[in-house]
Amino acid sequence: RKEVEQDPGPFNVPEGATVAFNCTYSNSASQSFFWYRQDCRKEPKLLMSVYSSGNEDGRFTAQLNRASQYISLLIRDSKLSDSATYLCVVGQGGKLIFGQGTELSVKP
Amino acid sequence: DAGVTQSPTHLIKTRGQQVTLRCSPKSGHDTVSWYQQALGQGPQFIFQYYEEEERQRGNFPDRFSGHQFPNYSSELNVNALLLGDSALYLCASSQPTYNEQFFGPGTRLTVL
């Protein structure tokens, strides 16, 4: 079983749609949680950190449920520029453990 | 403010050769981590350097080794290259008290 598991993709959505990504992690000792975005053949870029209280950044909302070991990302009013691979990431003692990523394609 | 830089951008080697990849961290960062990303997969942690010491190591063989210099820059060395070592090698930098890591553009290694 992988340490971080994400929904299989790809997700194909129209502009303006709301899309949700889900992720589970297996190590309850994980200390920090993130969503990264990766464009084709580029490096991962930090989208947002995820906190137990939930956090929002514009159209993006992230949630963490430590009891269920579950992380989510919601994108509202999706734009063409949101097309990318979204990586769920947990931090353990300084190292990052990545999910395999979920590809999102937003169509006009 | 310069971000994380890596060199070279691309590299082609043959099986059995050795390779050295280089990374300079973001200004103000003193911790460097290396990751390997195979096609279609998420990055996998190789090791992390802080104060010129290997602080943590992932599940990679001893063929993978590294070094950190006093100016915080780092090298990743891979000996006896295998076809399966073909991947994007990513360097990330951070401050030791923060878990947020910032990635460089990567080095794409092809082993023939």
Side-chain angles (χ1 to χ4, degrees):
Chain A
R1 183 186 171 193
K2 293 184 179 178
E3 285 197 70
V4 179
E5 299 214 47
Q6 295 184 239
D7 283 342
F11 286 10
N12 297 300
V13 303
E15 265 187 297
T18 296
V19 60
F21 299 115
N22 301 307
C23 168
T24 57
Y25 61 96
S26 60
N27 189 337
S28 59
S30 298
Q31 301 150 326
S32 52
F33 308 89
F34 309 95
W35 285 99
Y36 276 75
R37 170 198 168 123
Q38 187 170 28
D39 293 289
C40 187
R41 301 182 74 80
K42 300 280 191 178
E43 74 273 23
K45 291 189 176 173
L46 179 64
L47 182 64
M48 55 200 305
S49 301
V50 190
Y51 306 108
S52 296
S53 55
N55 47 304
E56 187 173 312
D57 182 3
R59 298 181 293 108
F60 299 82
T61 301
Q63 298 276 354
L64 167 65
N65 185 321
R66 281 187 181 265
S68 305
Q69 296 179 199
Y70 170 87
I71 309 164
S72 66
L73 175 69
L74 187 75
I75 305 176
R76 291 181 300 278
D77 188 23
S78 53
K79 312 289 185 192
L80 296 177
S81 57
D82 293 334
S83 297
T85 295
Y86 290 82
L87 296 157
C88 177
V89 184
V90 303
Q92 295 172 5
K95 72 177 180 182
L96 299 181
I97 310 296
F98 285 78
Q100 78 269 27
T102 303
E103 185 181 343
L104 172 65
S105 180
V106 181
K107 306 290 188 185
Chain B
D1 178 21
V4 181
T5 60
Q6 292 187 244
S7 63
T9 307
H10 296 85
L11 207 49
I12 299 175
K13 293 285 189 179
T14 55
R15 279 179 298 174
Q17 285 190 308
Q18 179 263 343
V19 68
T20 297
L21 311 181
R22 295 177 176 82
C23 170
S24 290
K26 185 176 165 68
S27 178
H29 288 185
D30 53 12
T31 301
V32 173
S33 304
W34 287 92
Y35 295 81
Q36 179 196 67
Q37 186 174 23
L39 203 60
Q41 302 296 317
Q44 280 196 288
F45 176 77
I46 303 175
F47 41 53
Q48 184 179 79
Y49 277 84
Y50 172 65
E51 291 188 340
E52 302 179 50
E53 298 278 337
E54 184 183 288
R55 189 159 73 166
Q56 280 199 89
R57 189 178 182 91
N59 189 25
F60 278 80
D62 292 345
R63 298 188 296 109
F64 289 77
S65 63
H67 189 78
Q68 186 179 33
F69 299 94
N71 67 352
Y72 310 123
S73 66
S74 177
E75 287 182 350
L76 164 65
N77 300 292
V78 187
N79 294 323
L81 285 166
L82 304 174
L83 296 179
D85 294 331
S86 295
L88 179 66
Y89 287 85
L90 295 159
C91 168
S93 74
S94 59
Q95 296 173 320
T97 54
Y98 293 95
N99 282 309
E100 291 181 353
Q101 297 184 15
F102 296 87
F103 285 81
T107 294
R108 193 164 298 278
L109 173 66
T110 302
V111 182
L112 301 176

